[in-house]
Amino acid sequence: MASNAVSDAHGRAPGPPGPHIARGGPGTAPVAVTGGGSGPGPGTQPGKYVSPSVAGAAKILVVGPLGVGKTTLIGTVSEIKPLSTEAMMTQAGARYDTLVESGKTTTTVALDFGRITIDGALVLYLFGTPGQQRFLPAWRDLARGALGALALVDTRDLASSFDALGNLEELGLPFAVAVNTFPGSPRYPEGELRAALDLLPGTPLVECDARETRSSVRALIALLGHLIDSAPPAPAGARGLPLTERT
């Protein structure tokens, strides 16, 4: 699958997602989340890494091509100040990172990191991957221990997402796809998008605005629902996802 550059993740028009893509997927019942944005959320106690009510945690990747909105989404939902490894894009890298010409000035060179608590009991640790295919070795390191991935795509350049989706399939990591909305981006019926992205019938396809907390959380919940549905049968006496238990 070929990899192409996409346009910058900023400047999207506000407004609700269109009705033609399923929103939220499985498990979209209202949930309590702590915070969102750059500071600790209301459920986070000062001086505490996680709330005492948290019983489990899961590592989740946020993937996609350059400029699709991974850094924005993690910064939007994170209840802690997110870690970002943004670096200036230079002319030396222009032949690899064509967004230099479109106004994008920085790019993730290692990872983004954020945290969100769901229902006061489950913590998601979000790891954003670099968008360029040349950082694939970093992908493999970040994917270790991950339960699943949220793949962001841009309908203005669907082909640029092929490498990211192919990497997830190669790693055998279950994922959901979120179409990040941009101003003027074309909208397609769900069936056409699924065909263009070559998605399996059970792969969730949702629409979100990476700048908007509720929209971004719905995308993460769609992924969690998919992980629950696709998880292997639990041993006798065990329930739910194979999460990392707190000690």
Side-chain angles (χ1 to χ4, degrees):
M1 296 180 179
S3 176
N4 298 318
V6 297
S7 298
D8 188 65
H10 303 289
R12 292 179 298 280
H20 55 275
I21 298 177
R23 295 175 56 187
T28 53
V31 297
V33 298
T34 60
S38 60
T44 304
Q45 297 183 10
K48 297 292 184 181
Y49 187 55
V50 294
S51 171
S53 64
V54 169
K59 179 180 181 181
I60 300 295
L61 294 189
V62 180
V63 309
L66 181 65
V68 78
K70 303 180 296 294
T71 301
T72 299
L73 184 141
I74 290 175
T76 296
V77 303
S78 182
E79 66 197 20
I80 59 174
K81 184 176 182 180
L83 168 68
S84 180
T85 57
E86 293 277 292
M88 292 296 297
M89 301 177 71
T90 66
Q91 288 302 319
R95 62 176 176 159
Y96 304 106
D97 306 328
T98 56
L99 283 178
V100 170
E101 301 299 327
S102 68
K104 182 173 174 64
T105 59
T106 63
T107 185
T108 298
V109 295
L111 78 158
D112 296 309
F113 174 77
R115 188 189 82 205
I116 180 173
T117 303
I118 305 293
D119 275 343
L122 171 64
V123 164
L124 301 183
Y125 294 105
L126 307 176
F127 288 78
T129 64
Q132 300 94 321
Q133 184 68 2
R134 67 180 184 273
F135 290 119
L136 182 56
W139 262 68
R140 298 188 185 280
D141 288 336
L142 289 174
R144 292 176 183 172
L147 197 63
L150 182 67
L152 296 183
V153 303
D154 178 359
T155 58
R156 298 173 300 180
D157 189 1
L158 289 176
S160 66
S161 301
F162 291 168
D163 281 337
L165 297 179
N167 292 340
L168 293 175
E169 292 172 354
E170 182 180 345
L171 292 168
L173 199 63
F175 63 91
V177 175
V179 178
N180 194 12
T181 55
F182 291 81
S185 59
R187 296 193 172 195
Y188 301 103
E190 181 178 350
E192 291 184 17
L193 283 174
R194 287 187 173 276
L197 296 170
D198 195 22
L199 299 180
L200 293 174
T203 301
L205 177 64
V206 300
E207 194 171 75
C208 77
D209 182 339
R211 303 169 305 172
E212 206 277 319
T213 301
R214 288 183 177 273
S215 178
S216 299
V217 169
R218 281 198 299 267
L220 290 170
I221 292 173
L223 170 61
L224 290 178
H226 177 54
L227 296 178
I228 292 171
D229 291 342
S230 60
R239 295 185 302 171
L241 291 170
L243 306 177
T244 301
E245 296 292 334
R246 285 190 68 198
T247 58

